[in-house]
Amino acid sequence: MQALKVLSTEEKEALDSPRISTDFTQSDYLGKVYIESYGCQMNFADSEVVTSILINKGYGTTSNISEADTILLNTCAIRDNAENKIRHRLQAFKAIKAKKPDVTIGILGCMAERLKTKLIEEEKLVDLVAGPDSYRDLPNLLDQIENGQKAINVFLSKEETYGDIEPVRLHSNGVGAFVSIMRGCDNMCSFCVVPFTRGRERSRDLVSIIHECTTLFNQGYREVNLLGQNVDSYHWNNPDSNETVNFAQLLAHTAQIHPDLRIRFSTSHPKDITDEVLHTMARFENICKNIHLPAQSGNNRILELMNRTYTREWYLDRIKSIRAILGEDCGISHDVIAGFCSETEEEHQDTLALLTEVQYDFGYMFTYSERPGTPAAKKYPDDVPDDVKSRRLSEIIDLQRKHSGIRNERLIGRIEKILVEGNSKKSDKHHYGKTDSNKVVVFPKGTEQIGEYVYVKVLSCTTGTLIGELVNS
């Protein structure tokens, strides 16, 4: 099953469909490129890098697939369902290829890296396969196809960060933007393909990150989301001072660009998030008090099988520190896997007990999906029946929905500072934005503009959305 989260209406609609590239017309002689992006925020950020690379080489982009000379799917491989979605999407391209035989179809990202040449062999429509570290080579790969060949580059780099490339903001509302601060992952969680599809961990240099964030602010953006598979292990060696910059220091540098630039980040790993990071968040008002801290399980034996390298007790200690340093209002979200290999009913109950003890604001919840080539697939049988997995997932979702409602109800009557992000999907008479703790708020429009900060009094809520009204600051 897919990952599920207790979501607002705006978030649900955003996740239900792939992100599609917008129109940036350059030299038509190289043709127009259409990009669909699937999966995590990192994939969306990567598609913006891809677009920049291709535009700089003279390609144009289009949001109309029928106009495209090249169709690129930026893919996810985290679960079997994600790959099946791509294969199903490729079937829809048969008609396009029949009408336009010269159209190039390419697979980018994690699925490309995992399957490599198998994609070209199994999916006869596919002309190009490029892994996450191969995007600079895309113009050359497209040239190969022009000469009648298939093209593939799935080389994983130990240095590539794309830090010198200014992304084209495909997925932005003009208010917030993704900024990648590192790539890859060194945490060998037994269930996860990311270390194999995105390679070893490497951090981007501080100078280029601050430059990108400053440029975004000067262009009118008011929120940046710093991205990494494990942002807390960010470290960059400054060649001028021979000192190492850690994540807490990066946060401080970014927050000092301007008080009106909101800073968010994801994802944190429980073994690495430090009190220094938490104290830095507390020190700066514009670093949002919201932490995504994946738990995966509430049972120590399962955590050990998952190779998460922390215990339930360690995890709860980190939660305790978050609440102590950042306060009870800090938004905390989670990832949880239901039905991991050999999980017993008692161990599932441990996970439910963890959710009850923490009372998360929201979470991403999914059943275990065995991924070929991962340590878990090699060592442990996927032996929990699908109906048991589904039932356990339903219990986790129901409990999280209850807790999301409780956490939202705490804010009724409160006045929250909101960054206006756009029109509500349900009504163009309402704006929506997010609280510091990452909760979506919908409120009737006043004279405020998108990208401005306003104060909203929370009047009511659902499990996924706060409803409020504007008040004077």
Side-chain angles (χ1 to χ4, degrees):
M1 297 181 69
Q2 271 189 291
L4 297 174
K5 173 190 170 188
V6 179
L7 297 167
S8 68
T9 300
E10 282 74 16
E11 290 173 311
K12 284 179 181 176
E13 293 189 12
L15 291 174
D16 280 344
S17 56
R19 307 284 182 95
I20 297 171
S21 60
T22 50
D23 298 321
F24 292 92
T25 302
Q26 298 290 316
S27 302
D28 283 342
Y29 79 95
L30 286 179
K32 292 184 177 181
V33 179
Y34 170 93
I35 304 177
E36 286 184 2
S37 305
Y38 295 80
C40 67
Q41 295 172 329
M42 189 69 76
N43 271 12
F44 302 147
D46 278 359
S47 290
E48 295 178 342
V49 168
V50 166
T51 301
S52 179
I53 290 168
L54 293 177
I55 285 177
N56 286 335
K57 288 295 183 179
Y59 288 87
T61 69
T62 179
S63 57
N64 185 347
I65 195 169
S66 65
E67 294 180 354
D69 301 289
T70 298
I71 299 170
L72 300 176
L73 302 184
N74 195 352
T75 63
C76 174
I78 198 70
R79 291 179 302 280
D80 188 56
N81 182 75
E83 292 192 1
N84 288 337
K85 184 182 291 186
I86 298 301
R87 291 188 186 274
H88 180 75
R89 184 68 175 131
L90 286 172
Q91 295 306 304
F93 293 163
K94 285 184 177 179
I96 296 174
K97 195 82 165 176
K99 290 181 181 178
K100 199 174 182 180
D102 291 337
V103 69
T104 295
I105 295 177
I107 302 294
L108 312 180
C110 292
M111 186 175 173
E113 190 65 47
R114 192 183 81 79
L115 294 176
K116 301 178 174 62
T117 57
K118 284 185 179 181
L119 267 173
I120 290 176
E121 295 164 1
E122 295 170 359
E123 304 289 347
K124 305 303 181 184
L125 291 172
V126 175
D127 304 297
L128 179 153
V129 175
D133 291 346
S134 306
Y135 298 147
R136 291 183 193 271
D137 196 35
L138 278 172
N140 295 327
L141 297 175
L142 289 169
D143 285 345
Q144 289 180 34
I145 294 167
E146 287 292 320
N147 295 326
Q149 304 175 47
K150 300 285 186 177
I152 182 168
N153 185 340
V154 289
F155 173 76
L156 284 176
S157 170
K158 293 182 180 179
E159 292 83 29
E160 181 63 82
T161 64
Y162 300 111
D164 60 323
I165 294 175
E166 183 176 345
V168 174
R169 304 296 169 180
L170 302 175
H171 307 119
S172 172
N173 54 11
V175 177
F178 300 132
V179 176
S180 176
I181 66 169
M182 57 197 303
R183 299 182 72 82
C185 185
D186 287 348
N187 297 307
M188 298 297 292
C189 300
S190 66
F191 55 82
C192 187
V193 297
V194 169
F196 307 103
T197 59
R198 287 191 168 270
R200 298 300 299 272
E201 185 179 282
R202 61 272 192 198
S203 297
R204 182 177 164 189
D205 68 282
L206 173 69
V207 176
S208 70
I209 294 170
I210 298 305
H211 173 76
E212 182 174 345
C213 292
T214 303
T215 299
L216 285 166
F217 181 80
N218 292 336
Q219 291 172 345
Y221 290 83
R222 290 298 175 262
E223 182 175 291
V224 293
N225 195 333
L226 307 179
L227 298 180
Q229 304 301 143
N230 176 17
V231 292
D232 296 284
S233 61
Y234 174 89
H235 61 279
W236 174 67
N237 295 319
N238 188 338
D240 296 328
S241 64
N242 204 31
E243 295 178 344
T244 298
V245 177
N246 64 22
F247 183 57
Q249 293 163 334
L250 168 62
L251 278 177
H253 280 289
T254 310
Q256 292 175 82
I257 291 172
H258 197 282
D260 286 340
L261 181 64
R262 265 188 171 180
I263 316 299
R264 298 190 188 275
F265 59 87
S266 92
T267 295
S268 293
H269 194 294
K271 74 177 178 63
D272 291 319
I273 189 169
T274 64
D275 284 0
E276 183 186 4
V277 166
L278 303 179
H279 283 297
T280 302
M281 294 175 68
R283 179 178 152 207
F284 293 96
E285 186 271 339
N286 59 328
I287 301 179
C288 292
K289 309 308 180 279
N290 170 242
I291 296 175
H292 184 63
L293 197 67
Q296 307 302 0
S297 174
N299 176 266
N300 282 339
R301 187 184 75 89
I302 295 298
L303 288 172
E304 185 175 2
L305 292 181
M306 289 177 168
N307 195 35
R308 290 293 287 172
T309 68
Y310 57 83
T311 63
R312 176 193 181 98
E313 292 74 25
W314 174 279
Y315 184 91
L316 287 172
D317 178 73
R318 293 291 78 213
I319 296 293
K320 182 179 179 181
S321 290
I322 291 169
R323 298 290 192 212
I325 296 170
L326 297 177
E328 290 295 323
D329 289 336
C330 178
I332 305 178
S333 55
H334 68 83
D335 292 345
V336 164
I337 296 173
F340 188 72
C341 308
S342 77
E343 183 187 62
T344 66
E345 190 63 30
E346 183 179 2
E347 289 165 340
H348 165 62
Q349 293 299 320
D350 285 344
T351 295
L352 295 177
L354 178 75
L355 266 63
T356 298
E357 184 165 354
V358 176
Q359 290 210 350
Y360 297 94
D361 293 82
F362 53 87
Y364 295 92
M365 299 150 281
F366 22 75
T367 56
Y368 173 62
S369 174
E370 183 178 270
R371 308 309 295 131
T374 58
K378 294 176 182 177
K379 295 168 63 176
Y380 314 127
D382 183 7
D383 54 0
V384 178
D386 287 343
D387 62 332
V388 175
K389 288 181 183 178
S390 296
R391 189 260 301 165
R392 290 177 184 174
L393 178 63
S394 294
E395 292 176 0
I396 290 168
I397 292 170
D398 289 346
L399 185 58
Q400 180 54 59
R401 186 173 286 114
K402 174 185 175 182
H403 294 159
S404 294
I406 292 170
R407 293 288 294 174
N408 283 354
E409 286 170 1
R410 292 176 71 254
L411 297 182
I412 292 176
R414 296 263 293 271
I415 294 174
E416 295 285 321
K417 184 178 180 180
I418 307 299
L419 176 60
V420 183
E421 295 190 30
N423 292 334
S424 167
K425 297 295 191 295
K426 288 187 173 181
S427 169
D428 60 7
K429 295 181 180 180
H430 290 73
H431 272 145
Y432 84 94
K434 292 192 183 75
T435 66
D436 183 67
S437 59
N438 204 33
K439 296 178 185 293
V440 172
V441 186
V442 176
F443 51 93
K445 286 183 179 178
T447 58
E448 76 284 354
Q449 301 297 310
I450 293 172
E452 291 182 352
Y453 290 99
V454 296
Y455 289 88
V456 173
K457 184 176 183 179
V458 180
L459 302 177
S460 62
C461 69
T462 67
T463 58
T465 306
L466 304 176
I467 296 96
E469 64 180 8
L470 289 165
V471 296
N472 294 328
S473 59

